[in-house]
């Protein structure tokens, strides 16, 4: 789910005050264009030829020879349309990967997946700088990689912890950035940053007012295991946070009492619309109208169609004789998502590889207030991660 943050910062540079005030009255109109690719390589070996060669040259020499000449590379594919989620987007330039950092990005089976646990401070700043999709005035928009936490414990490397260094890298001098809006750790997509507290406050008021009027400002795209029925609608469910095995989980509350509401039960609401179907899966547009941790993941599980890569809430969906049902949330522990054999074949994955599958939830579009009081909102767009696009191709999920 989207995360909203406003932290106290030092007063902005006096030289930026005039630009700050001007931007509040006239926020920029921004958009991006792009696509992403992914592929794989299969290696076949003639058994008899191998044995003959092995006897002649020695097994060790053969293995050394193969290791020297076989270097699987990612395949390429045509530019992918965004399946109804907006215009084509330009793929942001990727940072050059030196030999020191060659193992930070997982090429197979999920191309472009960032190994955030192996990143250092300088490397993370370099990655985020390359992920910037727009920078205008005090506003900076970047495409957050999946797996990067926005906040965390003291000393933990997060988006918030590297903002001072990122501000310097983007040439903002003493104007430190703050997070206005961002998806959660497991999701990827648009992050909105601002170096001007007045601009950040103005944007927050716009988001709050839009939620109260039930006008969605954030559009996510997701791939679900299963096809929601009906193909569009809303999910309305009170949720609360409950700790299970030292993990905070969102749990549905069917009929909340007044005491439950006082103790933290929140009403949550999301819209969904199926954009494409294939191989028993669906490409779904999701628009949250409330803010709650993991709201979209829980709502899709309640529809018996968990999001691919959801290793937290997918376990709540069980199957008996081909029929899906919900396990009690209070007694269901998070575990690795289980996919049927047919789906694994389509995705070209082994059961063990599913454990590394990233959550296929991407904040694709974000609306900002228009330049005038009567102008329509402007929009920001972020291209899909390469592994997300590869999944769409494997499942033949395209624009209909």
């Amino acid at each position: 789910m989207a995360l909203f943050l406003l932290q106290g910062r030092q007063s902005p540079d006096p030289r930026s005050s005039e630009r700050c005030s001007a931007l509040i009255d006239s926020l920029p109109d921004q958009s991006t264009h792009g696509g992403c690719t992914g592929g794989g390589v299969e290696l076949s070996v003639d058994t008899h030829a191998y044995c003959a060669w092995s006897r002649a040259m020695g097994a060790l020499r053969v293995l050394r020879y193969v290791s020297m000449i076989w270097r699987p590379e990612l395949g390429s594919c045509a530019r992918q349309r965004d399946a109804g989620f907006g215009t084509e987007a330009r793929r942001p330039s990727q940072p050059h990967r030196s030999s020191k950092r060659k193992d930070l990005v997982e090429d197979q089976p999920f191309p472009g997946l960032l190994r955030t646990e192996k990143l250092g401070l300088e490397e993370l700043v370099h990655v985020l700088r390359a992920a910037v999709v727009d920078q205008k005035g005090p506003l900076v928009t970047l495409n957050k990689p999946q797996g990067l936490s926005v906040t965390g414990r003291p000393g933990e490397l997060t988006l918030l912890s590297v903002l001072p260094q990122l501000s310097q890298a983007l040439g903002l001098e003493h104007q430190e950035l703050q997070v206005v809006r961002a998806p959660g750790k497991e999701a990827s997509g648009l992050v909105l940053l601002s170096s001007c507290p007045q601009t950040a406050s103005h944007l927050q008021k716009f988001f709050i007012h839009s939620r109260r009027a039930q006008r969605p400002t954030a559009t996510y795209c997701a791939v679900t295991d299963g096809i929601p029925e009906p193909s569009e609608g809303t999910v309305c469910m009170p949720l609360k946070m409950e700790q299970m095995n030292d993990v905070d989980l969102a749990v549905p509350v069917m009929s909340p009492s007044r005491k439950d509401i006082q103790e933290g039960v929140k009403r949550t609401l999301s819209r969904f619309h199926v954009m494409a179907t294939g191989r028993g899966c669906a490409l779904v547009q999701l628009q949250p109208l409330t803010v709650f941790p993991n709201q979209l993941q829980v709502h899709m599980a309640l529809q018996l169609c968990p999001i691919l890569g959801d290793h937290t809430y997918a376990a709540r969906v069980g199957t008996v004789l081909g029929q899906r049902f919900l396990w009690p949330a209070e007694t269901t522990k998070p575990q690795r998502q289980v996919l049927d054999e047919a789906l694994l074949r389509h995705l070209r994955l082994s059961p063990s590889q599913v454990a590394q599958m990233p959550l296929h939830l991407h904040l694709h579009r974000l609306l900002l207030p228009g330049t005038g009081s009567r102008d329509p909102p402007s929009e920001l767009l972020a291209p899909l991660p390469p592994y997300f696009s590869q999944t769409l191709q494997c499942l033949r999920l395209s624009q209909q």
Side-chain angles (χ1 to χ4, degrees):
M1 269 311 303
L3 175 67
F4 297 84
L5 290 174
L6 277 178
Q7 291 204 341
R9 306 285 185 188
Q10 296 180 353
S11 300
D13 193 311
R15 292 173 294 181
S16 66
S17 299
E18 187 174 338
R19 295 198 304 270
C20 236
S21 301
L23 186 62
I24 293 176
D25 297 327
S26 177
L27 283 171
D29 201 0
Q30 310 168 59
S31 62
T32 55
H33 297 278
C36 34
T37 61
V41 172
E42 294 184 0
L43 180 66
S44 60
V45 179
D46 188 307
T47 304
H48 298 291
Y50 171 79
C51 292
W53 178 263
S54 178
R55 287 192 299 269
M57 305 299 294
L60 178 60
R61 184 176 178 183
V62 172
L63 291 177
R64 291 179 60 189
Y65 176 76
V66 172
S67 67
M68 289 171 60
I69 65 171
W70 182 46
R71 293 293 185 270
E73 299 293 336
L74 288 179
S76 60
C77 69
R79 294 171 64 85
Q80 170 124 8
R81 285 190 298 173
D82 224 353
F85 289 102
T87 60
E88 292 184 350
R90 181 178 63 252
R91 183 178 181 181
S93 59
Q94 297 296 324
H96 174 70
R97 289 188 289 161
S98 63
S99 58
K100 179 182 179 181
R101 296 170 52 242
K102 64 182 179 180
D103 61 341
L104 298 179
V105 177
E106 181 67 59
D107 287 336
Q108 295 292 345
F110 307 108
L113 180 61
L114 192 68
R115 296 178 178 178
T116 54
E117 72 278 4
K118 294 188 176 182
L119 288 175
L121 176 62
E122 294 182 0
E123 293 166 333
L124 179 56
V125 172
H126 190 72
V127 167
L128 294 178
R129 184 178 181 182
V132 171
V133 295
D134 194 86
Q135 181 179 355
K136 195 169 184 179
L139 285 182
V140 176
T141 310
L142 58 86
N143 195 2
K144 184 184 83 70
Q146 189 273 345
L148 175 63
S149 297
V150 179
T151 61
R153 301 173 182 175
E156 185 179 351
L157 197 61
T158 63
L159 173 63
L160 195 62
S161 69
V162 301
L163 286 184
Q165 292 81 3
L166 182 60
S167 300
Q168 294 181 3
L170 295 176
L172 295 176
E173 300 176 356
H174 303 293
Q175 306 167 51
E176 187 175 330
L177 290 166
Q178 56 186 314
V179 180
V180 180
R181 187 159 188 171
K185 174 182 178 180
E186 299 303 324
S188 59
L190 285 167
V191 171
L192 186 60
L193 307 172
S194 175
S195 61
C196 173
Q198 290 177 314
T199 301
S201 177
H202 178 69
L203 291 170
Q204 289 286 12
K205 290 178 181 178
F206 168 75
F207 294 139
I208 293 173
H209 179 74
S210 297
R211 286 201 308 274
R212 290 174 178 172
Q214 294 197 354
R215 292 194 299 266
T217 56
T219 299
Y220 289 76
C221 48
V223 179
T224 60
D225 175 19
I227 302 173
E229 295 182 2
S231 60
E232 62 179 2
T234 59
V235 181
C236 182
M237 177 61 65
L239 298 176
K240 68 175 180 179
M241 296 303 296
E242 190 168 289
Q243 193 171 75
M244 182 182 299
N245 296 333
D246 298 326
V247 178
D248 291 329
L249 300 175
V251 176
V253 181
M254 302 308 295
S255 300
S257 63
R258 181 176 299 179
K259 181 181 179 181
D260 290 331
I261 295 176
Q262 293 175 346
E263 293 179 352
V265 175
K266 302 293 183 182
R267 173 181 172 270
T268 62
L269 179 66
S270 300
R271 293 178 184 171
F272 68 91
H273 176 65
V274 176
M275 303 297 294
T277 61
R279 311 293 195 183
C281 296
L283 174 61
V284 183
Q285 174 182 283
L286 297 170
Q287 294 180 318
L289 294 170
T290 53
V291 178
F292 197 86
N294 304 327
Q295 173 180 318
L296 296 178
Q297 294 167 248
V298 176
H299 284 182
M300 284 296 95
L302 291 173
Q303 294 297 107
L304 303 179
C305 298
I307 299 174
L308 283 185
D310 184 354
H311 305 295
T312 302
Y313 299 99
R316 296 180 182 179
V317 180
T319 305
V320 173
L321 299 177
Q323 299 297 317
R324 297 189 176 191
F325 67 95
L326 285 174
W327 290 106
E330 295 82 359
T331 59
T332 305
K333 299 179 181 179
Q335 58 180 312
R336 185 191 70 184
Q337 188 175 33
V338 178
L339 304 178
D340 62 42
E341 293 183 2
L343 182 54
L344 288 176
R345 286 197 302 270
H346 295 314
L347 294 172
R348 303 165 190 164
L349 298 176
S350 66
S352 61
Q353 289 174 329
V354 175
Q356 284 76 47
M357 175 180 281
L359 183 68
H360 283 56
L361 180 65
H362 180 75
L363 178 50
H364 166 75
R365 185 178 67 167
L366 192 61
L367 297 183
L368 299 181
T371 55
S373 58
R374 296 185 179 181
D375 293 334
S378 60
E379 67 177 13
L380 298 168
L381 300 175
L384 297 171
Y387 62 82
F388 200 119
S389 295
Q390 177 174 276
T391 297
L392 296 183
Q393 292 172 349
C394 292
L395 299 178
R396 298 183 180 178
L397 293 172
S398 60
Q399 187 172 5
Q400 296 181 348

